[in-house]
Amino acid sequence: MQERTKPEKVLGPEKVLVIACGMIAREILAVRETLGFGHLDLTCLPAEFHYRPDRIAPSMDAAITKARAEGYRHIFVGYADCGTGGALDRICEKHGVARIDGPHCFAFYQGLSAFEEIAEDDMLSFYMTDFLCRQFDAFFMKPLGLDRHPELIQDFFGNYKKLVYLAQTDDPQLERVAQDAARLLGLAYEKRQTGYGDLTKALATAARGS
């Protein structure tokens, strides 16, 4: 009688942890679902670090150290430089991890090559994304006091000429927020349908554990 052998256990890809900016969490989850990256885990640092880039590098250092202790071998940093002045790159080098290429999310959403072509023309543009449309009151109106003192608009936005909405999705409600913001701030308005830009490619690379 022939001995029956147990089937070999099929192992899936090893878990990869993305430690990202809270401002792009929804977009990372959307890419993960679209591409079927079930082995990609996500944790986020506070979106408010957008205003305090000096906190990004030390917080990332602690987050990576914690993730290593939890057993993650493959970690990807879901940030561009984001105003850290190279400090985030030094943390990435220290831990042997990679981050999203580029200076900030406004660049990688548009694609770095496309951004480089228009960066000079956009020097006086105020960027908004899907996240910033959803959080316009929480991120701009209330913290800057514009809901109580609209006369401050000129102080904060007087040097801008145009509001550029970088749209990750085609959502009329979010576009209305961007259009209303442009009118409120006294800026010309432009919409660019960027989708997720270079974020998809970056996450595909990260999902391979490379």
Side-chain angles (χ1 to χ4, degrees), residues 115-125 127 162 192:
F115 174 74
E116 289 171 359
E117 291 180 2
I118 51 84
E120 186 173 349
D121 291 338
D122 271 5
M123 287 292 291
L124 299 180
S125 295
Y127 287 125
K162 178 171 61 176
R192 297 176 191 165

Side-chain angles (χ1 to χ4, degrees), residues 50-93:
H50 177 75
Y51 287 128
R52 297 297 303 272
D54 58 302
R55 297 185 180 183
I56 295 173
S59 297
M60 183 61 68
D61 190 11
I64 295 174
T65 299
K66 180 175 182 288
R68 294 290 193 211
E70 293 172 347
Y72 284 100
R73 292 198 312 128
H74 301 296
I75 297 171
F76 183 71
V77 172
Y79 276 87
D81 178 75
C82 296
T84 68
L88 185 57
D89 283 333
R90 290 190 286 275
I91 296 302
C92 290
E93 183 177 1

Side-chain angles (χ1 to χ4, degrees), residues 186-200:
L187 304 176
Y189 174 75
E190 179 183 343
K191 177 185 177 181
R192 297 176 191 165
Q193 191 73 46
T194 66
Y196 303 122
D198 289 345
L199 179 62
T200 300

Side-chain angles (χ1 to χ4, degrees), residues 18-196:
V18 178
I19 305 175
C21 171
M23 285 180 60
I24 65 171
R26 183 188 292 249
E27 289 70 29
I28 289 175
L29 293 175
V31 172
R32 182 180 73 174
E33 181 178 355
T34 298
L35 299 183
F37 293 152
H39 65 293
L40 192 151
D41 291 344
L42 173 66
T43 188
C44 291
L45 300 185
E48 290 77 11
F49 286 2
H50 177 75
Y51 287 128
R52 297 297 303 272
D54 58 302
R55 297 185 180 183
I56 295 173
S59 297
M60 183 61 68
D61 190 11
I64 295 174
T65 299
K66 180 175 182 288
R68 294 290 193 211
E70 293 172 347
Y72 284 100
R73 292 198 312 128
H74 301 296
I75 297 171
F76 183 71
V77 172
Y79 276 87
D81 178 75
C82 296
T84 68
L88 185 57
D89 283 333
R90 290 190 286 275
I91 296 302
C92 290
E93 183 177 1
K94 170 184 173 181
H95 291 282
V97 301
R99 66 164 174 85
I100 302 173
D101 290 335
H104 41 63
C105 66
F106 308 126
F108 68 68
Y109 275 147
Q110 297 182 84
L112 292 185
S113 58
F115 174 74
E116 289 171 359
E117 291 180 2
I118 51 84
E120 186 173 349
D121 291 338
D122 271 5
M123 287 292 291
L124 299 180
S125 295
F126 175 67
Y127 287 125
M128 289 186 68
T129 63
D130 283 8
F131 175 89
L132 291 174
C133 286
R134 292 188 185 95
Q135 303 295 330
F136 185 73
D137 286 346
F139 262 64
F140 298 107
M141 296 299 291
K142 293 180 180 178
L144 299 178
L146 303 183
D147 55 336
R148 303 181 303 278
H149 301 286
E151 67 275 10
L152 295 176
I153 288 175
Q154 183 62 28
D155 293 337
F156 287 114
F157 297 95
N159 291 326
Y160 291 105
K161 300 299 183 184
K162 178 171 61 176
L163 185 151
V164 177
Y165 171 34
L166 306 175
Q168 285 68 71
T169 58
D170 187 13
D171 187 325
Q173 184 174 355
L174 295 182
E175 183 170 11
R176 282 194 294 272
V177 173
Q179 291 170 333
D180 289 345
R183 282 191 289 270
L184 175 69
L185 303 178
L187 304 176
Y189 174 75
E190 179 183 343
K191 177 185 177 181
R192 297 176 191 165
Q193 191 73 46
T194 66
Y196 303 122

